[in-house]
């Protein structure tokens, strides 16, 4: 059984930092591209950051987080990370990690392209 479990969310003041983790079990995270998405109340789920499979050499970010967030993956520990710096109130959302079903090069930014999802972790940024 494949499970993705996020952690690291919380309440932080604007300008602060958080690091989210995505622990995978039943699946090798590096076997396919993975990504972080977020969903704020009454809004669509949106892409935040993605990393390519295997060595994770390719990374891609939404314009709204570029320069502030960093996606990474520890292949030995089978954990994905999202380092979030200079947080803003508009970053408030539930953050989900996701993994594609099949491997291959490229980074995918649409939620429909991902098969495995975590339950999410709440990030709240106060002004």
């Amino acid at each position: 059984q494949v499970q993705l479990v996020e952690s690291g969310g919380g309440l932080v003041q604007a300008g602060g930092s958080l690091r989210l983790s995505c622990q995978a079990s039943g699946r090798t995270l590096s076997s396919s591209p993975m990504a972080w998405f977020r969903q704020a109340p009454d809004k669509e789920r949106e892409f935040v950051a993605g990393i390519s499979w295997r060595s994770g050499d390719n990374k891609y970010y939404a314009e709204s987080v570029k320069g502030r967030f960093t996606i990474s993956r520890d292949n030995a520990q089978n954990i994905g990370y999202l380092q979030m710096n200079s947080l803003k109130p508009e970053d408030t959302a539930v953050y989900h990690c996701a993994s594609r079903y099949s491997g291959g090069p490229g980074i995918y930014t649409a939620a429909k392209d991902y098969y495995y999802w975590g339950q999410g972790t709440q990030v709240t940024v106060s002004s």
Side-chain angles (χ1 to χ4, degrees), residues 67-125:
R68 300 187 297 123
F69 290 11
T70 303
I71 189 171
S72 63
R73 187 177 57 225
D74 184 331
N75 289 347
Q77 298 295 323
N78 210 26
I79 300 177
Y81 296 103
L82 184 68
Q83 176 67 44
M84 307 187 295
N85 298 330
S86 303
L87 282 162
K88 305 175 181 179
E90 50 264 43
D91 294 319
T92 295
V94 176
Y95 284 71
H96 300 267
C97 64
S99 176
R100 274 180 59 82
Y101 182 81
S102 55
I107 293 177
Y108 302 82
T109 62
K112 66 177 179 62
D113 291 323
Y114 291 86
Y115 186 82
Y116 299 106
W117 291 85
Q119 83 291 345
T121 185
Q122 175 71 48
V123 171
T124 303
V125 185

Side-chain angles (χ1 to χ4, degrees), residues 5 9-10 15 19 23 29 31 38 41 43 48 50-51 62-63 77 81 92 95 99-100 108 111-112 127:
V5 179
R19 187 176 80 157
Q23 176 72 66
L29 265 184
S31 65
R38 67 186 181 187
K43 289 191 175 180
V48 176
I51 186 169
E63 282 299 320
Q77 298 295 323
Y81 296 103
T92 295
Y95 284 71
S99 176
R100 274 180 59 82
Y108 302 82
K112 66 177 179 62
S127 56

Side-chain angles (χ1 to χ4, degrees), residues 10-82:
L11 173 64
V12 64
Q13 287 190 328
S17 298
L18 284 173
R19 187 176 80 157
L20 305 184
S21 299
C22 174
Q23 176 72 66
S25 60
R27 177 173 182 80
T28 301
L29 265 184
S30 60
S31 65
S32 63
M34 70 161 286
W36 288 89
F37 287 78
R38 67 186 181 187
Q39 188 164 18
D42 300 322
K43 289 191 175 180
E44 301 260 331
R45 186 168 296 191
E46 66 171 351
F47 172 83
V48 176
I51 186 169
S52 56
W53 73 329
R54 293 184 176 174
S55 60
D57 287 342
N58 295 322
K59 300 174 184 179
Y60 186 76
Y61 298 92
E63 282 299 320
S64 58
V65 307
K66 200 173 289 185
R68 300 187 297 123
F69 290 11
T70 303
I71 189 171
S72 63
R73 187 177 57 225
D74 184 331
N75 289 347
Q77 298 295 323
N78 210 26
I79 300 177
Y81 296 103
L82 184 68

